[in-house]
Amino acid sequence: MKLNLATPLLAAALLATAGAAVAQGYGPPQGPPPGQPYGQPGWNTPPGEYREYQQLGFRDGIEGARKDFENHRPFTPENRDEFRHPHVPRNVYHDYRQAFREGYHRAVVNMGYGRPR
């Protein structure tokens, strides 16, 4: 009986190629690492007219969207604890939440999952 060495070598090469494809992480986009901006430059800068608590809300909204993306949760800013129970004075809840929604929406758009306003 004659042994054909080409078959096992071909099988080993195919397995190695498949393993490399998995190791490279092909699949849906995972977004940039934390701290790096998405999409257009300056998208993550709060508008200049925002006051202190609005700027905080805007940044918290961006971070909330990033966390929802990383944890495969639906993009709903109202589900975030930071939105529902902000750690700001009660008299600025409305301003904080409005800015939170804006930051959250901008992050979702710049990750490629939403529509620009």
Side-chain angles (χ1 to χ4, degrees):
M1 178 186 224
K2 184 176 179 185
L3 293 176
N4 185 354
L5 292 178
T7 303
L9 291 175
L10 181 60
L14 288 174
L15 287 174
T17 304
V22 171
Q24 290 178 7
Y26 290 113
Q30 297 299 310
Q36 287 189 355
Y38 306 104
Q40 299 297 321
W43 72 269
N44 56 353
T45 304
E49 67 271 9
Y50 275 13
R51 293 181 300 270
E52 177 185 0
Y53 291 114
Q54 290 174 304
Q55 291 179 12
L56 177 63
F58 186 88
R59 289 188 190 102
D60 287 351
I62 291 171
E63 184 65 16
R66 186 185 65 77
K67 288 178 182 176
D68 285 349
F69 173 79
E70 288 176 354
N71 293 305
H72 309 287
R73 285 184 285 221
F75 290 121
T76 310
E78 291 81 9
N79 286 344
R80 301 289 315 161
D81 283 339
E82 310 88 71
F83 180 87
R84 291 182 289 152
H85 308 289
H87 295 288
V88 297
R90 188 172 289 281
N91 64 326
V92 294
Y93 272 21
H94 176 74
D95 291 341
Y96 174 90
R97 286 179 174 151
Q98 184 178 15
F100 185 98
R101 278 191 190 103
E102 179 62 27
Y104 193 99
H105 176 75
R106 281 204 203 171
V108 170
V109 166
N110 282 280
M111 285 188 277
Y113 292 98
R115 293 186 194 134
R117 290 185 182 169

